[in-house]
Amino acid sequence: MKNISRLFVWPAATAFVGLAILAAVGSAPGFAIYDFRCSEGILPLLPAAGKMPAGRKAGTASPQSAINEPWTSPYRVDPNRPFQVVNAEGRHLFILNKTAWLYFGCKHPEGVLERAVKQGVNVLRVSLEGQYYYETVGIELWPWGGTRDSPIWEEFNQAYWDEVERRIRMAAEKGIGFDVVLYCTLKPSAAEIESQRAYWAYALERLGKYANILTWEIANEYIENEDFQRQAAGFFHENDPYDRPICTSDGTTDDAAWPDRPWLDLAVNHTCTSSSERHDLKDWYLALARNTRSHGKPAFCNESGRENRHGNNDGIHRRKQGWLWCSAGGFWTWHSWDGCEGIDDTDYTAPGQEFLKPMADFFRALPFWELSPNYTALTTDQPGIVWATLARPDRSVVVMYLCTRTTGQAAEAVAAQVRLPAGNYRITLQRPSDLAAVLTLDHRSGGSNQSDRIVLPDFADDLVVTVNKMIPRQ
């Protein structure tokens, strides 16, 4: 490859990798002008002044931390706990996601954030490009120069990007992060890879500095352009200095999108389905959660069924869907009208939204990152009961969520089998709807070679059981 020298304007104090800087030949407020020497292979990432500065893998400044927890630094897949994400401080993130497609263009972003905080949501799934529900709300999210009909791919809509950054900072102050979807309405093909590299680089330059960007999602519900998505994922893997996870999504399926692709870091499933008998809690929702959790990656349902459009109208059934997904070891998303065309209706109440925060509070109070699905520590074979159990490897903490298949159904004298190492344990039973305590009892186990039987108190709809090993006082 021949080397090429060219002048570029770049933010001052930017670090560069793989480039020979011949000289800093000038300056302007906040910027420096460099004479670069680079190979032709790198040249496409380095456009004319002000067009497309690219983030680099090494030598990058620290990210802008969020004011509030948990976004003190970006998250990546934990190499020691592959089903979890972890940040630089060693903190793991229990994700409760919410669709907010038009957040970057809506009229009342403050209302979106306030609603999310009340619901216990810590991630918003947003469109960086798209015109969803345009005929209803008239919001166009267009990152480039030109128009959707006459795009200028190498130029960018500065006013739009400035507003995007402002709203990311607003969310950081509330403790909210983002699942950023790069392509929603557009569906680029492999022939458009080169024209889109500028967008990828610009997205990293403008947004990659924010600690509350959780993941780059290449496309929403589209997997007919694998070559394009593989190249996009490779670019972000190579150039995002914080190793944020990359994902994509398909429409409703019974498993994750491309779960075996090594360039995708999250196993993402969409289940835009109903609360009717057609979508059973055990044979559909729990089965999908377990399928998605089987690929050695963080398991993430990042779009569930919404009311009306998908027939997911039973709020209690929706509560059970979320609890089952999380109790199977995954992360879940709340999808509703107010995250779509109703985003500016700050008074709207979706069926079941009141149950989100108790669920998030429950799992965040656990060492959830240490828990894995377990099929013998705490079980039940009661007919009509759906259950999922998580446990630490040593079973010092065990959690079982159990529910009836039908809303309003009563469960009487449910027997559970407990198999624990020898020791004394405290068993706590709570209502998932509000975490109110139902019963607390002590249990002594003679060893994990034996199974003990306990009878649970009668309940309607669902119950969560937590077992904690009691540590003797010294």
Side-chain angles (χ1 to χ4, degrees):
M1 292 184 182
K2 66 180 180 179
N3 286 334
I4 298 172
S5 179
R6 184 174 292 177
L7 294 178
F8 296 92
V9 178
W10 223 276
T14 302
F16 302 95
V17 176
L19 305 174
I21 301 175
L22 298 185
V25 296
S27 65
F31 292 84
I33 303 174
Y34 295 100
D35 182 4
F36 279 125
R37 177 165 292 164
C38 61
S39 71
E40 287 180 305
I42 294 176
L43 187 62
L45 303 185
L46 304 173
K51 291 280 180 116
M52 185 184 54
R56 301 306 300 169
K57 196 71 170 180
T60 304
S62 298
Q64 295 188 20
S65 296
I67 294 174
N68 290 339
E69 296 279 0
W71 305 99
T72 52
S73 61
Y75 286 83
R76 63 189 180 98
V77 175
D78 187 343
N80 299 312
R81 300 182 186 277
F83 296 100
Q84 306 294 331
V85 294
V86 68
N87 67 6
E89 293 76 45
R91 175 175 183 148
H92 295 87
L93 185 71
F94 180 81
I95 301 166
L96 178 55
N97 186 37
K98 175 185 173 71
T99 307
W101 283 127
L102 303 175
Y103 171 74
F104 289 147
C106 67
K107 297 175 183 176
H108 305 295
E110 299 88 351
V112 175
L113 296 175
E114 289 171 5
R115 189 200 304 268
V117 170
K118 290 178 181 178
Q119 293 173 340
V121 166
N122 58 3
V123 178
L124 296 179
R125 184 168 181 248
V126 296
S127 171
L128 190 56
E129 173 281 320
Q131 53 177 190
Y132 285 165
Y133 318 108
Y134 185 78
E135 66 285 354
T136 303
V137 297
I139 297 175
E140 167 73 281
L141 304 177
W142 183 250
W144 295 273
T147 65
R148 192 169 289 275
D149 292 332
S150 299
I152 304 175
W153 299 122
E154 69 275 11
E155 294 183 3
F156 298 95
N157 183 345
Q158 297 300 321
Y160 172 66
W161 286 91
D162 289 346
E163 183 62 16
V164 166
E165 287 200 53
R166 187 183 77 86
R167 295 186 184 207
I168 289 173
R169 292 192 296 268
M170 285 172 54
E173 294 175 358
K174 300 287 188 180
I176 304 293
F178 292 95
D179 171 349
V180 177
V181 185
L182 299 173
Y183 298 98
C184 287
T185 301
L186 290 180
K187 297 174 173 58
S189 68
E192 298 169 273
I193 289 170
E194 294 307 317
S195 70
Q196 293 302 302
R197 288 185 186 275
Y199 174 49
W200 307 340
Y202 199 70
L204 275 172
E205 175 63 23
R206 293 295 298 257
L207 310 186
K209 61 193 173 191
Y210 294 106
N212 59 327
I213 301 298
L214 172 64
T215 179
W216 308 108
E217 184 172 349
I218 302 169
N220 175 50
E221 296 194 343
Y222 190 74
I223 59 170
E224 299 303 316
N225 57 351
E226 182 172 356
D227 287 345
F228 178 89
Q229 295 205 39
R230 179 171 48 81
Q231 289 289 330
F235 183 93
F236 279 86
H237 277 304
E238 182 180 354
N239 292 285
D240 185 344
Y242 306 110
D243 290 319
R244 290 179 182 86
I246 312 298
C247 66
T248 194
S249 59
D250 195 1
T252 294
T253 61
D254 65 349
D255 207 338
W258 292 330
D260 60 337
R261 304 302 195 268
W263 40 271
L264 292 176
D265 304 301
L266 307 180
V268 169
N269 169 262
H270 279 194
T271 171
C272 298
T273 46
S274 73
S275 52
S276 70
E277 293 180 359
R278 188 162 61 96
H279 298 107
D280 182 71
L281 287 165
K282 178 183 178 182
D283 297 333
W284 180 249
Y285 288 106
L286 180 57
L288 266 60
R290 287 175 171 166
N291 285 351
T292 307
R293 183 55 162 66
S294 68
H295 303 294
K297 302 176 180 181
F300 189 16
C301 172
N302 79 349
E303 189 169 312
S304 61
R306 55 178 274 199
E307 66 279 13
N308 299 325
R309 184 184 182 102
H310 301 132
N312 208 9
N313 300 321
D314 182 339
I316 294 175
H317 198 280
R318 294 177 76 168
R319 178 178 82 215
K320 295 175 182 181
Q321 296 167 28
W323 274 87
L324 283 171
W325 193 282
C326 297
S327 299
F331 304 114
W332 196 64
T333 293
W334 178 256
H335 186 46
S336 59
W337 184 78
D338 57 279
C340 299
E341 63 266 45
I343 195 165
D344 282 316
D345 185 348
T346 56
D347 296 324
Y348 179 75
T349 301
Q353 70 174 41
E354 68 272 23
F355 304 131
L356 292 173
K357 193 171 189 303
M359 182 181 75
D361 289 346
F362 177 84
F363 283 97
R364 287 174 187 150
L366 295 170
F368 64 87
W369 60 95
E370 298 178 350
L371 307 182
S372 298
N374 188 291
Y375 301 98
T376 57
L378 184 55
T379 66
T380 182
D381 56 6
Q382 190 91 353
I385 297 296
V386 185
W387 61 274
T389 295
L390 295 168
R392 268 180 170 160
D394 65 358
R395 304 190 184 183
S396 59
V397 176
V398 181
V399 175
M400 179 171 72
Y401 173 76
L402 60 163
C403 66
T404 61
R405 278 180 146 117
T406 305
T407 294
Q409 181 180 350
E412 300 177 353
V414 174
Q417 290 73 45
V418 187
R419 188 180 293 272
L420 301 168
N424 295 316
Y425 296 83
R426 175 68 49 82
I427 301 177
T428 304
L429 296 87
Q430 295 170 273
R431 287 195 316 234
S433 60
D434 57 6
L435 300 187
V438 174
L439 180 68
T440 300
L441 56 92
D442 292 336
H443 173 76
R444 178 168 180 79
S445 172
S448 54
N449 61 336
Q450 64 185 50
S451 176
D452 300 320
R453 182 176 181 270
I454 59 173
V455 178
L456 304 178
D458 297 348
F459 64 91
D461 286 314
D462 52 0
L463 189 70
V464 61
V465 182
T466 306
V467 179
N468 285 286
K469 188 170 186 179
M470 299 175 69
I471 306 301
R473 293 181 178 179
Q474 299 298 323

